[in-house]
Amino acid sequence: MLFFELFVQGLIHGSMYAMIAVGLTLVYGLLRILHVAHAGLFALGGYLGLLITNATGSLALAMITSALIVGLGGMLVYRLCYQPILDRPPYVPLIASIGVFIAMEEVFRLVFGPYGLTYNHPHLQSQVTLLGLNLRGAEIGMVITAMVLLGGLSYLAQNTRIGIAWRATVDDPEIAESFGIDAVKVRYLNFFIGSGLAAVGGIFISLLSNLVEPTMGGVPAYKALAIIVLGGLGNVKGTLVASLALGVVEAFGTIYIGSYLDRDAIAFAFLIAVLMIRPQGLFTGR
Amino acid sequence: MKPLLEVKNVTVRFGGVLALDDVSLEVRPGEFLSMIGPNGAGKTTLMRVVTGTVKPVSARIRLDGRDITMLPTHQRARLGLALTHQIVRPFRSMTLLDNVTLAAGHHRIGRVIRALTAVDRSAEREQARKYLELVGIAEAAEKSVLGRPLGVVKRLEVARALALEPKVLLLDEPLAGLNTAEAARLADTVAEINRGGLTVVMIEHNLGEVLRVSRRLAVLDNGRKIADGDPGAVMRDPAVRAAYLGKEYQDAAA
Amino acid sequence: MMRKLGTIVLLVGALAFTLAGAAAAAGTIKIGFHAPQTGFAASDGKSATIGAELAVEQINAAGGINGKMLELVVYDDQAQPAQAIPIANKLIGQDKVPIAVSGSYSAPTRSAAGVFQESRVPYISAYAIHPDITRAGDYVFRTSFLGEIQGKAGAKLIGELLGKKMVVMITLQNDFGKALADGFKSMTRDFGIEIVNEYEYSIKDRQFGSLVAKVKADDPEAIYASGYYFTAGPLVSQLRAAGVAVPIIGQEGYDSQKFIEIAGKAAEGVIITTSLDRDSDVPETKNFIEAFEKKAGFKADMVAASAHTAVMVAADALKRAGSTDSEPLRKALAETHLKASTGTISFNALGEVVKAVQNQVVKDGNWHRHSVIDDPGLLAPPDK
């Protein structure tokens, strides 16, 4: 029973990772940029979600609004930070991205204070007993939302016009252009969707801990990078599998070897072990 | 007759090298124009200026009377310019059918909302299948691009370009790498499409096929156009012969 | 021409320097202060800084020290040891402070302590609890309990006062958490406590799903968990949400209103060992609590109280020494016997404070007194 519970907790944690990491792998797949600032957008999503919920009392409204605003924010980051330097070697956008992330953290601290904010009445705190486990509404909500959104994304990619256009642009932006696809519009959409997903992830996290802090993007900033490498750079399915796998590994690892290695050490040990066997990651990426 | 494609005064510089020097060309509706010339003459570069991939120092391009010189590539594609590439570039993560379907839905791509919600692609898929049939690779429609032999992929390039329903079809060495039988078949297909009314501009080295199917020949050498006109007359032009022919010409003319 | 310009600049510079020096000599006594203003510990740093500033304001309002006003020289160390050392050097060499206070965590305080000891500048750790801090030398003092002492008090609280024996420990993986755990474990036999299991977590963790599942399976009688409000808040809330109803005992890291805000109803009944008694009748404590809330706009926490106490102690030593020279100042500090917001402060030979532990419990959404542990034998800090 304990093992089952640890496993489920691992999947819950993993679905949180998935919502953040997918946006990162989408950007890498399209532009080969390590979009560290993504973690700042994740934190922004958490802040907006909390503030709107506290102001209006509606979590649903907060989620939609926050996702929209952060989606636009992601597009803005692309336009201002990445588009001007796309032709430079890859470490240039990476450094710019890190700079944006650090700036965002400090802005959060200056605007919202270093103490962090809490919900007036956190939603989804009621407990549900499922399969003999005591789970909170927010945990179940997060897993379901992750499945729905990521499932929707997959459907979009496979079955719609825009999905095909996106896949074409990932494969070969120049040729995609010559078939009438505006690569810039595809990029905007890419950032919009990835950032929106991260915002939703940020809101669920804040519900689970009832806390948003300026540094809440700190761990996702590097953890998500590890996850997309683990899953195969640019491979969305791989990222999802890697996220869940990592969640489960951490869940067991922190309990049984937690006195020797902390959570991050366990995560990176797992990453290194996998890469030694399969250097390209679990699935082949771009 | 008014030209369908007007290419005027194209000059392109790559670093210090003058790749194209004031080249002008006109293509009339329904023509089959072939461009030949030694390697490095600037043929592919000229095509890429027309599609917008290469930025010239100076140029004036008009498609069906409309000045497209300042337009980005994706808009030129939507106005009716399609290009196949010397080194084939299909979308590797998709099937053959998907590759062509993408092009077949070209009129929908522009509007984002419609593109997001357009799930029913059966009409486009049927269209795409027809193009695959046209170039003779319909049996491989559901297969992934990876692992297809060159002959198949080269024909996929053509099918994909056709699916765009262009006004002008630009082909960059469509026959390169194909054996004699395959090359002849593909050249025939293109000629047939041209007879159906589609304007074709083709870069090719395979002189045998070129002379068999095209009705007009332009020759580029060292960034300049040195001949333009009836294939026979052009081939007899001493400047052309001097430029690069030699052995190949003897074989082809025989 | 350049020569002339250079000479003018030099003269102006020299003049400015003399004036600055004159100003310093004329009016103020500086107290050096470092705390994390930015970075992950910025919340504690802000509280500590406001507490320290309040102390300076109150002293200056009462006339200053020996006729001079106090000036707090504040630096941001981001809770990083690497930042603390240059700051210590700056305070000593540039600002020439006669005494300094750390409003920061253990790691940076440890690093800075060595620098202050070498330069013979008295240094007070407000709330950093690592034992090595005072071992830097006789110029280093601490106004809050050692981690080990607090841990021992926790063992007495659980084993004797609450009568719970089967305990699960959840330990924060840093100097603070480990010191508390060590202290707790050293007294388990004395109070009949059996440690069912000990788990460690990282200061970056906010989601404790797997930990909670395991603790539930362990089924203890009580939980001894170390952390700061931003880890303890989520931890306690998640433990309660999973149906773990046993007493949870924490320490001064929880001691802020923020903990209660985050954990909400789950915070009710949580007991902590700390040094700020909200229900205190002692005027120093009561006044501090009121004045802090007025100045800061939010309720006082342990960190703010500790920083306030430390600055008060520094000012008191300055007053009794009557000078800013290092040896008389150090002697005055060693002879401190002052009532401050966090208790009566006096130091042993090592510079460690000897005072009672205040146990506070969350009742109706606020911290209130639960009990006091005043066992000198138990709470005696080491004296070397």
Side-chain angles (χ1 to χ4, degrees):
Chain A
M1 188 57 190
L2 173 66
F3 275 32
F4 178 61
E5 187 158 7
L6 287 178
F7 183 73
V8 170
Q9 285 297 329
L11 289 181
I12 292 172
H13 210 96
S15 62
M16 158 183 89
Y17 282 150
M19 282 204 275
I20 304 168
V22 166
L24 204 63
T25 214
L26 284 177
V27 171
Y28 186 84
L30 196 62
L31 294 175
R32 295 260 175 135
I33 290 177
L34 294 173
H35 175 39
V36 174
H38 188 62
L41 293 162
F42 157 79
L44 178 64
Y47 268 105
L48 289 175
L50 186 144
L51 291 167
I52 296 174
T53 306
N54 279 351
T56 66
S58 164
L59 180 67
L61 177 67
M63 274 205 193
I64 295 172
T65 316
S66 173
L68 282 174
I69 296 177
V70 174
L72 291 172
M75 287 166 59
L76 202 67
V77 170
Y78 163 71
R79 178 65 192 85
L80 297 176
C81 179
Y82 299 133
Q83 192 169 293
I85 51 178
L86 278 179
D87 51 348
R88 308 284 178 82
Y91 57 80
V92 176
L94 173 62
I95 293 174
S97 194
I98 294 173
V100 170
F101 171 65
I102 293 175
M104 285 181 88
E105 278 197 321
E106 288 308 303
V107 168
F108 294 143
R109 186 185 58 80
L110 289 167
V111 173
F112 300 116
Y115 292 99
L117 306 174
T118 53
Y119 283 92
N120 297 339
H121 304 285
H123 286 68
L124 300 179
Q125 297 300 305
S126 48
Q127 286 151 49
V128 177
T129 317
L130 204 64
L131 304 172
L133 302 171
N134 234 357
L135 297 172
R136 273 180 297 165
E139 291 174 308
I140 299 177
M142 179 162 74
V143 176
I144 293 179
T145 308
M147 292 202 301
V148 167
L149 288 179
L150 294 175
L153 191 67
S154 167
Y155 179 79
L156 214 81
Q158 289 300 123
N159 293 55
T160 62
R161 264 272 55 95
I162 208 83
I164 267 199
W166 179 80
R167 281 188 288 143
T169 313
V170 170
D171 269 352
D172 199 327
E174 205 181 283
I175 300 300
E177 285 257 338
S178 57
F179 282 91
I181 296 170
D182 186 342
V184 176
K185 278 215 192 105
V186 170
R187 289 179 196 152
Y188 277 132
L189 189 69
N190 193 330
F191 273 88
F192 181 78
I193 290 179
S195 308
L197 271 174
V200 175
I203 295 176
F204 273 113
I205 295 303
S206 67
L207 280 172
L208 287 175
S209 48
N210 192 17
L211 180 64
V212 293
E213 319 158 80
T215 52
M216 68 187 273
V219 171
Y222 58 81
K223 205 52 104 53
L225 286 180
I227 291 172
I228 68 173
V229 169
L230 184 63
L233 285 163
N235 188 317
V236 176
K237 191 166 49 165
T239 300
L240 179 60
V241 172
S243 302
L244 295 174
L246 189 64
V248 173
V249 166
E250 283 184 359
F252 283 90
T254 49
I255 297 299
Y256 293 107
I257 53 177
S259 35
Y260 308 110
L261 294 174
D262 78 359
R263 181 180 287 266
D264 285 353
I266 292 169
F268 281 98
F270 177 58
L271 171 68
I272 292 171
V274 171
L275 289 181
M276 287 209 284
I277 305 171
R278 258 185 88 88
Q280 69 270 43
L282 291 171
F283 293 77
T284 10
R286 256 201 86 185
Chain B
M1 214 190 317
K2 203 174 60 152
L4 180 56
L5 179 66
E6 286 174 76
V7 179
K8 284 205 176 80
N9 309 109
V10 176
T11 301
V12 174
R13 221 178 268 276
F14 290 135
V17 180
L18 192 61
L20 287 172
D21 188 0
D22 199 30
V23 174
S24 296
L25 197 60
E26 262 178 25
V27 185
R28 282 179 289 277
E31 267 202 295
F32 193 142
L33 167 68
S34 284
M35 248 204 292
I36 63 174
N39 278 322
K43 312 186 291 294
T44 301
T45 309
L46 184 63
M47 284 249 197
R48 300 178 97 207
V49 170
V50 173
T51 60
T53 316
V54 169
K55 300 261 171 293
V57 168
S58 71
R60 188 114 308 236
I61 321 270
R62 250 192 261 278
L63 178 64
D64 206 5
R66 178 175 170 166
D67 191 328
I68 62 171
T69 322
M70 292 294 126
L71 294 183
T73 308
H74 65 270
Q75 278 183 26
R76 298 190 203 195
R78 292 205 219 128
L79 287 172
L81 268 180
L83 170 66
T84 71
H85 298 75
Q86 198 172 344
I87 302 187
V88 290
R89 293 167 70 169
F91 297 118
R92 294 179 181 286
S93 69
M94 304 197 241
T95 63
L96 270 66
L97 187 60
D98 273 346
N99 264 272
V100 185
T101 310
L102 171 70
H106 60 94
H107 55 281
R108 282 217 239 206
I109 283 187
R111 330 225 175 287
V112 178
I113 304 298
R114 243 201 265 174
L116 258 175
T117 52
V119 179
D120 177 49
R121 297 183 298 135
S122 47
E124 285 135 17
R125 299 196 127 223
E126 281 320 298
Q127 274 277 74
R129 222 176 274 276
K130 292 211 178 75
Y131 287 114
L132 286 173
E133 276 166 23
L134 190 63
V135 298
I137 53 174
E139 352 58 76
E142 305 293 349
K143 300 223 178 88
S144 163
V145 164
L146 300 168
R148 299 296 116 228
L150 185 63
V152 171
V153 184
K154 289 227 96 145
R155 283 185 274 164
L156 172 65
E157 281 276 303
V158 177
R160 197 171 61 165
L162 289 175
L164 215 47
E165 288 170 352
K167 294 196 175 130
V168 180
L169 180 64
L170 306 168
L171 302 166
D172 194 347
E173 297 201 37
L175 311 179
L178 300 180
N179 65 38
T180 327
E182 288 173 326
R185 213 182 5 240
L186 187 53
D188 280 337
T189 308
V190 176
E192 201 183 306
I193 296 168
N194 170 253
R195 275 194 293 279
L198 180 62
T199 310
V200 175
V201 179
M202 180 172 81
I203 297 174
E204 249 310 323
H205 276 297
N206 188 331
L207 273 180
E209 296 300 333
V210 163
L211 293 173
R212 196 166 68 79
V213 297
S214 14
R215 287 172 281 143
R216 186 171 141 221
L217 206 54
V219 185
L220 257 58
D221 180 32
N222 262 327
R224 287 201 195 88
K225 190 173 79 170
I226 59 174
D228 186 350
D230 170 78
V234 166
M235 296 314 292
R236 284 190 290 276
D237 186 333
V240 170
R241 284 207 226 172
Y244 87 125
L245 300 179
K247 186 173 188 300
E248 290 165 10
Y249 169 72
Q250 314 290 11
D251 291 352
Chain C
M1 170 55 184
M2 282 311 291
R3 263 278 192 84
K4 230 193 191 170
L5 193 61
T7 328
I8 294 176
V9 170
L10 208 58
L11 283 173
V12 172
L15 193 63
F17 248 105
T18 349
L19 286 176
T28 64
I29 302 180
K30 293 188 184 157
I31 297 183
F33 185 78
H34 66 96
Q37 315 289 349
T38 58
F40 71 94
S43 46
D44 278 341
K46 185 165 168 191
S47 288
T49 307
I50 298 179
E53 285 171 351
L54 177 64
V56 168
E57 276 168 29
Q58 290 174 327
I59 292 169
N60 285 346
I65 299 289
N66 302 334
K68 296 206 186 128
M69 291 291 124
L70 279 183
E71 185 189 328
L72 197 69
V73 182
V74 181
Y75 284 103
D76 175 12
D77 68 358
Q78 299 185 320
Q80 307 285 0
Q83 303 276 33
I85 294 182
I87 287 174
N89 284 317
K90 235 200 270 191
L91 285 171
I92 297 169
Q94 212 176 289
D95 300 295
K96 301 211 194 311
V97 300
I99 189 167
V101 169
S102 162
S104 192
Y105 284 13
S106 287
T109 308
R110 256 213 279 179
S111 310
V115 180
F116 285 107
Q117 173 66 32
E118 270 237 13
S119 304
R120 300 199 185 295
V121 174
Y123 183 53
I124 304 174
S125 165
Y127 65 90
I129 62 163
H130 196 282
D132 285 351
I133 290 172
T134 43
R135 291 201 188 113
D138 54 354
Y139 275 79
V140 183
F141 298 81
R142 191 198 326 257
T143 52
S144 53
F145 321 103
L146 272 171
E148 274 84 354
I149 304 294
Q150 206 175 140
K152 288 187 191 173
K156 178 162 179 157
L157 171 60
I158 292 180
E160 195 174 286
L161 292 167
L162 296 176
K164 305 290 178 193
K165 307 299 178 190
M166 310 289 282
V167 176
V168 160
M169 290 177 71
I170 303 178
T171 303
L172 174 63
Q173 271 163 336
N174 71 349
D175 280 354
F176 179 62
K178 295 228 180 88
L180 291 167
D182 287 345
F184 186 84
K185 283 188 269 197
S186 73
M187 296 309 295
T188 45
R189 193 122 44 100
D190 292 50
F191 295 109
I193 291 173
E194 191 182 314
I195 297 175
V196 176
N197 259 315
E198 182 181 359
Y199 304 105
E200 296 187 20
Y201 72 93
S202 151
I203 195 174
K204 295 177 273 188
D205 285 342
R206 303 287 181 271
Q207 309 304 323
F208 301 97
S210 46
L211 183 56
V212 166
K214 186 69 170 55
V215 170
K216 222 171 42 164
D218 285 343
D219 194 23
E221 291 173 1
I223 298 172
Y224 186 68
S226 52
Y228 302 108
Y229 76 82
F230 46 84
T231 59
L235 174 63
V236 166
S237 147
Q238 287 164 30
L239 279 167
R240 294 290 186 237
V244 177
V246 297
I248 299 176
I249 285 78
Q251 313 78 18
E252 58 187 24
Y254 291 40
D255 192 331
S256 104
Q257 195 64 23
K258 257 335 227 197
F259 165 76
I260 301 173
E261 270 174 44
I262 293 170
K265 290 208 192 64
E268 291 292 312
V270 168
I271 308 172
I272 61 174
T273 54
T274 182
S275 42
L276 182 63
D277 181 8
R278 272 42 169 217
D279 293 332
S280 173
D281 295 318
V282 177
E284 281 78 6
T285 309
K286 262 173 104 170
N287 294 340
F288 164 74
I289 293 175
E290 264 177 52
F292 184 89
E293 190 165 345
K294 215 192 310 182
K295 176 176 166 67
F298 53 89
K299 291 208 171 82
D301 52 38
M302 179 280 302
V303 166
S306 301
H308 184 265
T309 295
V311 173
M312 284 299 192
V313 166
D316 175 70
L318 281 165
K319 183 157 34 165
R320 282 183 290 111
S323 93
T324 55
D325 294 336
S326 84
E327 177 50 35
L329 192 50
R330 189 205 69 78
K331 193 152 172 295
L333 208 46
E335 290 167 356
T336 299
H337 194 88
L338 180 72
K339 251 203 196 153
S341 51
T342 53
T344 308
I345 308 295
S346 65
F347 298 111
N348 71 0
L350 186 52
E352 295 288 353
V353 71
V354 189
K355 62 181 185 182
V357 173
Q358 305 291 335
N359 299 329
Q360 300 273 293
V361 63
V362 179
K363 220 189 296 181
D364 301 324
N366 277 302
W367 291 110
H368 286 289
R369 182 193 296 188
H370 176 271
S371 50
V372 179
I373 294 179
D374 200 350
D375 183 342
L378 178 72
L379 300 178
D383 50 11
K384 36 182 182 313

